[in-house]
Amino acid sequence: MKDIARASSIGLRYWNSDIDLEIASWFPFGVDYKPVSINELHSLKLERIAARCLDAGSEFFFLSSMFSGCVGSLMRDNFFREGAAGGVNLGFMMLLGYSPKMEELLGRSLAGRRDVRAGVAFCSLRNKTLALENMKVIVLVSDSIIFGEEEFLTDFEAMFDGMAPSCTSYFAEKFGYRRFHMAYETDDMTQLRIGRLLYEMEFPETRRMVGPSPEMPLPPFLRVSIGFLA
């Protein structure tokens, strides 16, 4: 029981809400030949971040903020649009593919930060009303609508400095990247079941050993549409 409690304190907690995203009909759902370089259309920093995320077994899916709009590998149609497409995103949200390595990196690097939190959730992808995929993700969200995005991205990129180099991003660009996996493929189902039973126990002694609820409230993320009259 003590080992499980220690593991839960190291890993990220789950958000109490899942994510629902609509992607373009022409999105390369099977094999993607530009999972990294597509982000160069927005900035070289996001391209580097996308490459390091792949090397960590994760993926940079999208970023939504007041300054960047909504961009990323999943939202590549927005790279070709001018402006913020008639809307302003208040706050900061970043969506990454789940991997144990990325969870470990974020758990260490965000331990002392108060401006942004990270948690695990499930993300449903759809094309209008057609459900396409349900995947496990890591969601980073700011607690305030005013957020130092550029400084955070610099720190986020530096998070990978101590990680051993990998050729994953190179081969993904050269031969294509098959991104989607089963939602629980990276989990130990026995540990998940034991952890859930422990969290559901009502004994105060168990609560003290296991810790607080594994879920935390997802902060509201606002988008304001702006219209102009001729």
Side-chain angles (χ1 to χ4, degrees):
M1 185 181 295
K2 291 182 179 179
D3 290 339
I4 295 174
R6 191 183 304 112
S8 65
S9 65
I10 294 174
L12 299 176
R13 294 169 64 185
Y14 276 75
W15 293 111
N16 65 351
S17 179
D18 292 335
I19 308 296
D20 185 47
L21 292 178
E22 183 175 354
I23 60 177
S25 58
W26 50 267
F27 179 80
F29 194 78
V31 179
D32 188 351
Y33 291 94
K34 293 185 179 296
V36 174
S37 57
I38 185 66
N39 296 283
E40 183 184 2
L41 295 175
H42 184 73
S43 75
L44 293 176
K45 178 174 289 187
L46 283 186
E47 182 189 26
R48 294 193 300 269
I49 286 175
R52 297 314 304 272
C53 285
L54 281 183
D55 292 338
S58 176
E59 185 180 2
F60 169 59
F61 283 137
F62 90 92
L63 179 153
S64 185
S65 70
M66 182 183 301
F67 301 102
S68 297
C70 187
V71 295
S73 298
L74 285 180
M75 302 293 161
R76 59 186 59 199
D77 50 321
N78 289 344
F79 284 117
F80 305 101
R81 297 177 181 174
E82 294 184 3
V88 176
N89 301 303
L90 302 180
F92 175 89
M93 177 183 287
M94 192 176 188
L95 192 71
L96 306 171
Y98 177 85
S99 75
K101 182 64 177 178
M102 181 61 76
E103 182 179 23
E104 178 188 354
L105 287 170
L106 287 172
R108 291 201 309 261
S109 65
L110 299 183
R113 296 191 71 116
R114 296 180 178 271
D115 56 342
V116 63
R117 290 185 290 160
V120 180
F122 288 93
C123 177
S124 296
L125 299 182
R126 57 186 175 84
N127 178 11
K128 296 182 180 179
T129 59
L130 179 63
L132 300 174
E133 183 68 47
N134 184 43
M135 57 188 183
K136 188 175 180 181
V137 295
I138 297 177
V139 187
L140 291 84
V141 184
S142 65
D143 284 326
S144 172
I145 61 174
I146 306 300
F147 183 74
E149 176 186 336
E150 189 65 25
E151 178 185 355
F152 171 77
L153 291 180
T154 299
D155 294 341
F156 184 84
E157 186 179 0
M159 176 183 72
F160 299 99
D161 287 349
M163 191 180 71
S166 169
C167 296
T168 304
S169 56
Y170 169 79
F171 287 111
E173 285 281 305
K174 190 172 183 64
F175 301 109
Y177 178 63
R178 193 178 300 275
R179 64 165 44 86
F180 298 116
H181 310 281
M182 293 176 61
Y184 291 96
E185 186 177 353
T186 56
D187 289 316
D188 184 329
M189 298 304 295
T190 301
Q191 292 296 319
L192 283 176
R193 180 60 179 164
I194 294 174
R196 175 170 294 181
L197 289 173
L198 289 174
Y199 279 119
E200 290 174 352
M201 289 184 179
E202 296 298 331
F203 300 109
E205 293 80 6
T206 306
R207 290 290 183 185
R208 283 197 295 269
M209 295 186 69
V210 177
S213 170
E215 292 188 345
M216 56 183 175
L218 185 67
F221 191 76
L222 303 177
R223 177 177 173 84
V224 178
S225 297
I226 302 176
F228 297 94
L229 298 178

